């Protein structure tokens, strides 16, 4: 064997090989042991290595982790609590515009909860190429409220309003399902500078929702924005912060749920908590298919809700990219296509059970970011709760007991966490480059316009305003377009480092100023 170690094996001259003729060309070339050990040894070693590898436990990604039943149930309930108000608001608004009775309004709300649960199952568990298989909660998109109320206003016979809306949602959902594979190719235009901007905008856009909740449920009420309501919101926020700071483990992870329970109990002496919905709700109530009539198909309504579908798909794409960053499973083109199929198919099925267009809920991204619980099965359990609430109106009314100011206090933490996640992504985006600084600056400004100046686009047609009034959509489009212009088209200037966007081409270090080399 000593002679072997010093000899050179020439593959072009096998007759000079120091090995016996029958071993000059080993059958397997996967390991160097074949050249140095007896013929039977490599087989034994390979078998041992294979056995050792197979004996090692296969690590499960946190997204695919199945937690203990109690932990999954409580955390899933947190997700329901975080998005409940967003799900029930559209049917309440549209139903009130139509003039539905209290019974029909309760039925419509339960139907939307039921279909939200079904859409959540599609998104989290998935079938075939449908579902992003990420911890996403799906529910009724608020972007459709304006065009749906416009349909109601333009319909003479209000009993036809819901069938017309349902028909338009079905068409928009089916068209969106067919377009999902092509729409998903836009993922290549979402580098960190774009995704970080969009994630930040999602959080900023959601914060006004929390602030409105903190003031109360009805802007026309005398106690809207009262010291009592704001005090309850602040108290809930304080409880959540204290639980996050001074507790550990499971209690820390369900701090939001505990904060909501504590805030609701504190609100009872102030008369803010209303248990009336629980007393008036039925125990069982299945959403009968086409309860409000067979779908009707009108071109104007279909066009309006197709525009909403495009807006919804844009926001869902941004949400999937954001959540992929948070759970450390980046959403690629395949994942986005599957997620969009779940959104659109859920929307197409929803009218069958008297529900509206569904979309991924950005509110729950903050809960994932804060609790660090990334399991999609937790959210699937939340979807199960939604289905049960749709089948049991009394169970659904329990969540409705939570006062809106209490939800607002918890929402500050949830939605602020989303914005913080976006800032973390921007830190990795290379903001030392002048191009990226300008992309972020302008995109954030464009996205914040609908928040700071809600009537800014009042002169535009209603159809166009559906897109422009979504700060997430406009900011996303602006970030993608600016990234293409500054970093891809023509000669890029990525090599130029700046300390301020107005000082392009200069880098300041201490008291010395130097100009960068010409790229």
């Amino acid at each position: 064997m000593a002679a072997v170690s010093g000899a050179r094996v020439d593959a072009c001259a096998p007759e000079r090989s120091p090995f016996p003729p029958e071993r000059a060309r080993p059958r397997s070339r996967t390991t160097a042991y074949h050249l140095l050990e007896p013929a039977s040894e490599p087989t034994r070693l390979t078998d041992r290595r294979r056995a050792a590898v197979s004996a090692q436990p296969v690590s499960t990604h946190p997204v695919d982790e199945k937690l203990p039943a109690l932990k999954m149930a409580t955390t899933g309930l947190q997700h329901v609590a975080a998005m409940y108000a967003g799900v029930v608001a559209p049917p309440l608004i549209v139903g009130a515009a139509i003039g539905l009775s209290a019974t029909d309004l309760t039925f419509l709300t339960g139907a939307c909860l039921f279909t939200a649960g079904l859409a959540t199952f599609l998104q989290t568990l998935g079938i075939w190429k449908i579902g992003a298989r990420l911890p996403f909660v799906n529910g009724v998109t608020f972007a459709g409220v304006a065009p749906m109320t416009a349909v109601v206003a333009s319909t003479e016979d209000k009993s036809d309003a819901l069938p017309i809306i349902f028909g338009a949602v079905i068409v928009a959902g089916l068209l969106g399902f067919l377009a999902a594979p092509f729409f998903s190719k836009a993922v290549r235009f979402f580098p960190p500078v774009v995704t970080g901007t969009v994630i930040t905008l999602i959080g900023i856009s959601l914060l006004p929702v929390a602030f409105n909740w903190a003031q109360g449920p009805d802007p026309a009420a005398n106690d809207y924005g009262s010291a009592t309501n704001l005090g309850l919101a602040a108290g809930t926020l304080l409880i959540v912060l204290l639980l996050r700071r001074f507790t550990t483990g499971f209690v820390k992870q369900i701090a939001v749920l505990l904060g909501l329970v504590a805030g609701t109990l504190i609100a009872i002496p102030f008369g803010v908590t209303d248990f009336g919905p629980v007393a008036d709700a039925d125990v069982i109530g299945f959403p009968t298919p086409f309860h409000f009539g067979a779908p009707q198909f009108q071109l104007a309504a279909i066009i309006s809700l197709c525009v909403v579908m495009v807006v919804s798909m844009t926001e869902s794409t941004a949400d999937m990219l954001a959540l992929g960053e948070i759970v450390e499973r980046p959403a690629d083109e395949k994942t986005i296509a599957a997620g969009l199929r779940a959104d659109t198919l859920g929307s197409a099925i929803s009218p069958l059970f008297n529900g509206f267009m569904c979309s991924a809920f950005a509110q729950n991204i903050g809960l994932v970011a804060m609790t660090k619980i990334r399991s999609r099965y937790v959210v699937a359990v939340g979807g199960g709760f939604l289905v049960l609430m749709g089948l049991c109106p009394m169970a659904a009314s329990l969540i409705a007991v939570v006062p809106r100011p209490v939800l607002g206090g918890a929402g500050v933490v949830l939605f602020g966490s989303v914005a913080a996640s976006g800032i973390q992504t921007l830190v990795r985006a290379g903001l030392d480059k002048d191009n990226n600084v300008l992309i972020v600056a302008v995109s954030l400004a464009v996205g914040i316009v609908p928040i700071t100046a809600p009537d800014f686009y009042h002169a535009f047609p209603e159809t166009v305003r559906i897109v422009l009034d979504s700060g997430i959509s406009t900011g996303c489009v602006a970030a993608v377009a600016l990234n293409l212009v500054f970093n891809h088209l023509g000669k890029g200037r990525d090599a130029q480092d700046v300390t301020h966007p107005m000082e392009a081409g200069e880098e300041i270090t201490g008291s010395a100023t130097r100009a960068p080399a010409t790229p």
Side-chain angles (χ1 to χ4, degrees), residues 434-518:
D434 62 338
N435 292 350
N436 291 343
V437 171
L438 291 174
I439 291 169
V440 174
V442 176
S443 300
L444 285 177
V446 171
I448 292 174
V449 166
I451 302 172
T452 56
D455 297 327
F456 189 82
Y457 300 111
H458 72 277
F460 287 81
E462 186 67 28
T463 304
V464 179
R465 288 188 62 184
I466 294 174
V467 180
L468 297 179
D469 284 342
S470 172
I472 298 172
S473 297
T474 54
C476 179
V477 171
V480 171
L482 290 173
N483 179 62
L484 287 174
V485 171
F486 280 92
N487 289 335
H488 294 278
L489 300 180
K491 290 186 177 180
R493 298 169 60 237
D494 284 358
Q496 295 185 347
D497 297 331
V498 298
T499 56
H500 192 281
M502 301 305 294
E503 300 173 358
E506 294 184 347
E507 181 180 10
I508 301 177
T509 305
S511 59
T513 304
R514 64 176 179 84
T518 303

Side-chain angles (χ1 to χ4, degrees), residues 272-458:
V272 179
T273 305
D274 181 14
F275 291 95
V278 179
D280 298 336
D282 296 329
V283 178
I284 299 176
F286 185 79
T288 309
F290 300 131
H291 174 81
F292 296 99
Q296 300 180 25
F297 303 94
Q298 289 190 1
L299 183 60
I302 290 173
I303 292 175
S304 294
L305 287 178
C306 281
V307 173
V308 175
M309 179 59 72
V310 172
V311 174
S312 175
M313 293 173 73
T314 302
E315 293 187 352
S316 291
T317 299
D319 291 343
M320 278 183 270
L321 291 168
L323 188 59
E325 290 284 336
I326 291 172
V327 302
E328 297 179 354
R329 178 182 277 181
D332 55 13
E333 184 177 318
K334 181 180 177 182
T335 301
I336 291 176
L340 293 178
R341 288 191 190 100
D343 276 1
T344 53
L345 181 60
S347 296
I349 295 175
S350 186
L352 174 66
F353 299 102
N354 313 283
F356 297 142
M357 185 179 295
C358 293
S359 176
F361 262 46
Q363 290 95 319
N364 297 83
I365 298 176
L367 189 58
V368 174
M370 191 186 70
T371 63
K372 305 300 181 183
I373 297 178
R374 296 174 278 178
S375 172
R376 58 191 174 100
Y377 296 105
V378 165
V379 178
V381 170
F385 281 125
L386 291 172
V387 171
L388 290 176
M389 288 177 180
L391 298 176
C392 179
M394 182 173 290
S397 64
L398 289 175
I399 298 294
V401 168
V402 179
R404 202 63 58 85
V406 174
L407 282 175
V412 172
V413 179
L414 297 177
F415 307 154
S417 298
V418 178
S421 298
I423 295 172
Q424 288 178 331
T425 303
L426 286 174
V427 169
R428 306 193 302 268
L431 292 184
D432 55 331
K433 306 296 188 293
D434 62 338
N435 292 350
N436 291 343
V437 171
L438 291 174
I439 291 169
V440 174
V442 176
S443 300
L444 285 177
V446 171
I448 292 174
V449 166
I451 302 172
T452 56
D455 297 327
F456 189 82
Y457 300 111
H458 72 277

